[in-house]
Amino acid sequence: MFGQHHQHAPALVHRLEGEVVMTRSSERPDTPETATAATLRRTTWAAGVGMTVETYDYAVYGFLATVLAANFFPSSSPGVALLSSLAVFGVAFVVRPLGGAIFGPLADRIGRQPTLVITLLGMAAVSTLIGLLPTAETIGIAAPILLVALRMLQGLSAGGEYGTALIYAAEFSPEGRRGAVTSRVQAGCLVGLLLAATAVLGLNLLLTPEAMQAWGWRVPFLLALPLGVVGLYLRNQLGETPEFTAVRDADAPPPPPVDRKLRRALLLVGVAVLHTVSFYVAFTYVQTFSIGLGFSPVAATGAIVISLLVGVVLVIAAGRLSDRVGRRPVLIGGALAIALASYPLVAGVTNASGFWSLTLCVVLLGAAPAFYAGVAPITYIELFPVHARGTGVSLSYNITVAIFGGTCVYLCQWLIEVTGDNRAPAFVLIGAAVISGLATLGLRSVLPANRTTAVTARLGAP
C-alpha cells in the first residue's frame, strides 16, 4: 500500500494496480460519477474536435494523393508518382511512435489537458504550412523534401493526440458509459474524414481539374486552421480529469509508468492492427482505389461521404453495445465480419458499373471496420491503469500505426501493381482481421467478459 493515513480528515480509498491509494476527502476531486451531463458533453466535444482535426489532416492528404503526386513528383510516371505520394503519406505514421514517446509520458506527468493543447496546436499549424507550400515546379526538389519534413512534424503531434484525447474523455466518464463516451470521441475521426471528403468533393464540383491542380488542393489544408482554433477554445475551457487528479494528488508518488505491462502492450498492438488497417483502407484508400478504376473524383469521394455517414452511426452503436455485452464479443464479431466479407466486397468495388453500385459496396466495406473502431479505443484504455495510461496507450497504439497504418495503403497499391489483380487489397484486410481476431481471444485473461471500468484492481493482474 502506498499513501499514509491522515488522522485529521476521513480517507477515501482508490484501488489501482491491486494497491490502495489514500486521499483526504476534503481534497478529493470530482469523480466521473459526479460529473454533470453538461461537463461530459463539453469534455466529449473538446476531446473529439482534436481527433477530427487529426484525421482531417491525414484524410485530406490521402484524398488528394493523385493531385499531390502531380504537383510534387511531376517527373515520374503516374503509377510511380502515386506510389511516391503514398509513401510520403506513410512518413507521418513512421514518426508517430516518437510522438507517443514524447507526449504519452508528458500526459502522465503534467496532465491530459495541457498535452492536448500542445498536440492540437502542432497539427493545425503543420497542416496550414502544407497548404502554403510551393510545388516542385516552383522550388524543384526542395518541394518534396519540405513536404516530407512537414508530414513528419504532423506525425509527431498526432502521435500524442489520439491516445490522450481518448483517455481524457474516458477519465471523465461514469462507470458503465465509457464505451459509449469514447465511441463518440472515436466518431470524431470519421467526422474528420467526412469533412475532408466533403471539402475535396465540393472543390471537385466547383473547380475545373486544371484549377484543382493549380491551387484548389491548398484550400482543404488551410481549413485546418479555423478547425484548430475552435478546438483550442474548447480545450481551454476544461480542467484536468478527475482520475488523473486523484492519482497526482496522492500522498506518495505513483509506481513507475512502465511496470509489468509488456503483455498488455502486445495485446493492444494486436487489437489495433485491424482497427488501423481497416480504417485507412476502407475510409481513405478506397477513394484513390476507385479513381484508379476509372471513376471520377466526384463519384469516388461521394461514395466515401455516404460510407462515413453510415460509419459514424455504427461507431457510436458499437460503443454503446460494448457497455452492455462487453468489449470482446463486439471486437470478435467485427473481426469475423471483415475476414469473411472483404474479398467479395472489394471484388464488388472492382466490378461496380455505376455510382450507386460503387456506393453500396463502399458502404458495406466500411460497415464492419466502423463497428470495430467503436469499441477498440475503450479496450486500449482499460488495458492500463491511470498512472501508466498515457505512456502505455500512446506508445503501443502508435507503434501499431507506424508499422501497419502507414504501410497498408502503400501495400494495397503495391499488390495491385505486382499482381495486376485489383482485388488484391482484400487480402490486406483479411490478414489484419486474422491477427486482431487472435489477439482479441487473448483478452479473456486480462479483461472480464462483461463491461469493465477504466481503473480497477484487476488491471494489476499479471
Side-chain angles (χ1 to χ4, degrees):
M1 180 166 67
F2 62 93
Q4 300 175 350
H5 179 70
H6 293 267
Q7 298 180 349
H8 303 293
L12 294 165
V13 180
H14 303 276
R15 290 200 172 270
L16 177 65
E17 286 289 314
E19 305 191 46
V20 181
V21 178
M22 309 287 289
T23 58
R24 282 177 283 184
S25 60
S26 61
E27 297 175 354
R28 184 190 184 210
D30 291 339
T31 65
E33 282 67 30
T34 63
T36 65
T39 297
L40 196 57
R41 282 195 300 271
R42 288 196 300 269
T43 301
T44 305
W45 277 102
V49 72
M51 305 279 269
T52 299
V53 172
E54 176 194 343
T55 50
Y56 175 86
D57 291 346
Y58 274 70
V60 161
Y61 188 99
F63 291 148
L64 293 173
T66 54
V67 177
L68 294 172
N71 275 312
F72 289 90
F73 306 97
S75 61
S76 305
S77 65
V80 173
L82 179 56
L83 282 173
S84 299
S85 182
L86 292 176
V88 176
F89 178 77
V91 164
F93 291 90
V94 173
V95 299
R96 281 185 67 138
L98 180 57
I102 294 171
F103 293 110
L106 191 66
D108 286 336
R109 188 165 62 251
I110 70 170
R112 319 315 193 191
Q113 193 266 353
T115 303
L116 286 173
V117 170
I118 296 171
T119 57
L120 184 57
L121 274 172
M123 290 186 300
V126 170
S127 185
T128 302
L129 290 174
I130 291 177
L132 299 173
L133 193 63
T135 64
E137 184 179 3
T138 304
I139 60 173
I141 191 63
I145 292 174
L146 288 172
L147 181 62
V148 169
L150 289 173
R151 287 288 293 169
M152 291 177 70
L153 291 174
Q154 198 171 53
L156 283 175
S157 297
E161 170 66 29
Y162 182 84
T164 310
L166 288 169
I167 292 167
Y168 188 76
E171 290 180 355
F172 263 108
S173 308
E175 182 177 342
R177 291 188 58 196
R178 295 190 169 183
V181 171
T182 55
S183 70
R184 292 202 292 267
V185 177
Q186 173 66 34
C189 291
L190 271 73
V191 172
L193 292 174
L194 182 61
L195 290 175
T198 302
V200 173
L201 176 63
L203 287 167
N204 278 310
L205 287 171
L206 293 172
L207 302 178
T208 64
E210 294 75 19
M212 190 69 182
Q213 188 74 42
W215 60 268
W217 64 270
R218 299 181 183 276
V219 176
F221 288 106
L222 296 175
L223 289 176
L225 185 59
L227 285 175
V229 170
V230 172
L232 285 173
Y233 171 78
L234 290 172
R235 288 185 173 179
N236 280 320
Q237 303 306 302
L238 294 173
E240 195 49 74
T241 72
E243 288 184 6
F244 177 82
T245 302
V247 173
R248 181 192 61 192
D249 294 344
D251 297 317
V258 181
D259 50 351
R260 305 183 305 278
K261 292 298 176 288
L262 179 59
R263 182 175 174 228
R264 293 169 184 274
L266 291 174
L267 284 172
L268 190 156
V269 169
V271 172
V273 168
L274 182 57
H275 178 197
T276 302
V277 170
S278 64
F279 190 85
Y280 284 105
V281 171
F283 296 117
T284 301
Y285 175 72
V286 164
Q287 188 253 14
T288 301
F289 177 60
S290 300
I291 293 174
L293 294 173
F295 287 94
S296 69
V298 172
T301 309
I304 288 291
V305 167
I306 296 173
S307 179
L308 288 167
L309 288 170
V310 175
V312 169
V313 176
L314 291 174
V315 164
I316 296 173
R320 293 171 64 90
L321 181 63
S322 75
D323 282 333
R324 295 184 173 216
V325 304
R327 318 307 183 200
R328 289 178 61 252
V330 183
L331 290 172
I332 291 172
L336 186 62
I338 292 171
L340 295 177
S342 291
Y343 189 84
L345 289 174
V346 172
V349 172
T350 301
N351 296 319
S353 57
F355 172 74
W356 290 113
S357 60
L358 172 69
T359 300
L360 177 63
C361 292
V362 169
V363 168
L364 292 175
L365 187 63
F371 205 70
Y372 189 91
V375 67
I378 189 59
T379 305
Y380 307 154
I381 292 167
E382 291 175 345
L383 281 169
F384 293 92
V386 175
H387 68 269
R389 193 170 284 158
T391 304
V393 173
S394 293
L395 270 177
S396 304
Y397 178 77
N398 284 299
I399 287 172
T400 311
V401 173
I403 296 173
F404 298 97
T407 59
C408 64
V409 294
Y410 185 92
L411 180 60
C412 288
Q413 188 65 27
W414 180 81
L415 285 173
I416 292 174
E417 296 287 335
V418 170
T419 65
D421 186 353
N422 287 324
R423 297 165 296 183
F427 296 108
V428 176
L429 290 169
I430 293 170
V434 171
I435 293 171
S436 290
L438 293 173
T440 301
L441 295 176
L443 292 174
R444 180 187 297 273
S445 61
V446 180
L447 299 180
N450 59 348
R451 66 174 181 261
T452 58
T453 58
V455 183
T456 69
R458 289 187 298 272
L459 288 179

